[in-house]
Amino acid sequence: MAADLVIANFLRVAKEDLDGAKLLARTKNRNAVYLCGQAAEKVLRAVLTSESKHGGITHRLNEMVDLVPDENPLKPALRGIEELSAYATAYRYPTPAGRIPEAPTDEELSMFFAKVEAALDLAVSKFGVDLDTVGQPARRPGPIRQL
């Protein structure tokens, strides 16, 4: 599959994940932050694809951000969402002692949503992706070097 379509589809799925996270948050479902983290990961994977890099099979967003060249102006926004890594794995399961990790507060969740949405919006704009047209590739799939 061509990188231009992969990038566009990562961003489309990221938008769906973020929208789903917001819906879950309204019901106080603890999985809202997990889905928000999934949206962050897909934005990162779109950027890595544009850089001809593969993020591997990990959910360690900080390691994925490390792969983004410093010349990419989206890197600071991506650094701002890497903290969601904790919610991709450890948060989803009881601890060895049986404790269920505490969900983020509504304020923390709103902050996560805003950061992921900002990174997503930047990526959509810079790659030239129409989120509403399935099957349409990114118009500018190359590495981003200017905002």
Side-chain angles (χ1 to χ4, degrees):
M1 187 177 288
D4 54 355
L5 188 56
V6 172
I7 290 166
N9 284 337
F10 267 133
L11 296 177
R12 287 184 185 105
V13 176
K15 174 75 168 124
E16 288 176 4
D17 286 351
L18 186 57
D19 289 347
K22 290 176 180 179
L23 283 172
L24 285 174
R26 286 191 230 156
T27 66
K28 303 293 185 194
N29 187 304
R30 67 189 308 275
N31 288 306
V33 72
Y34 166 72
L35 206 49
C36 183
Q38 290 298 294
E41 183 176 327
K42 288 170 182 88
V43 173
L44 258 165
R45 290 188 183 280
V47 172
L48 288 173
T49 299
S50 79
E51 298 284 352
S52 298
K53 297 182 184 257
H54 190 274
I57 59 171
T58 182
H59 297 292
R60 294 185 188 113
L61 303 184
N62 61 320
E63 292 177 8
M64 293 168 69
V65 175
D66 289 345
L67 296 173
V68 176
D70 291 338
E71 302 84 43
N72 190 313
L74 267 62
K75 192 167 185 173
L78 300 174
R79 279 276 176 233
I81 60 178
E82 69 186 9
E83 66 188 292
L84 285 159
S85 288
Y87 299 101
T89 54
Y91 176 78
R92 293 173 45 210
Y93 306 100
T95 66
R99 188 179 70 78
I100 296 174
E102 193 171 317
T105 65
D106 289 344
E107 293 78 23
E108 290 170 319
L109 201 50
S110 292
M111 178 202 57
F112 289 142
F113 290 162
K115 286 181 177 184
V116 172
E117 190 160 35
L120 175 61
D121 289 348
L122 270 173
V124 165
S125 172
K126 296 313 288 180
F127 290 127
V129 172
D130 177 358
L131 293 176
D132 297 322
T133 306
V134 175
Q136 182 179 349
R139 291 189 300 277
R140 297 178 297 279
I144 299 167
R145 294 297 179 258
Q146 295 180 27
L147 278 183

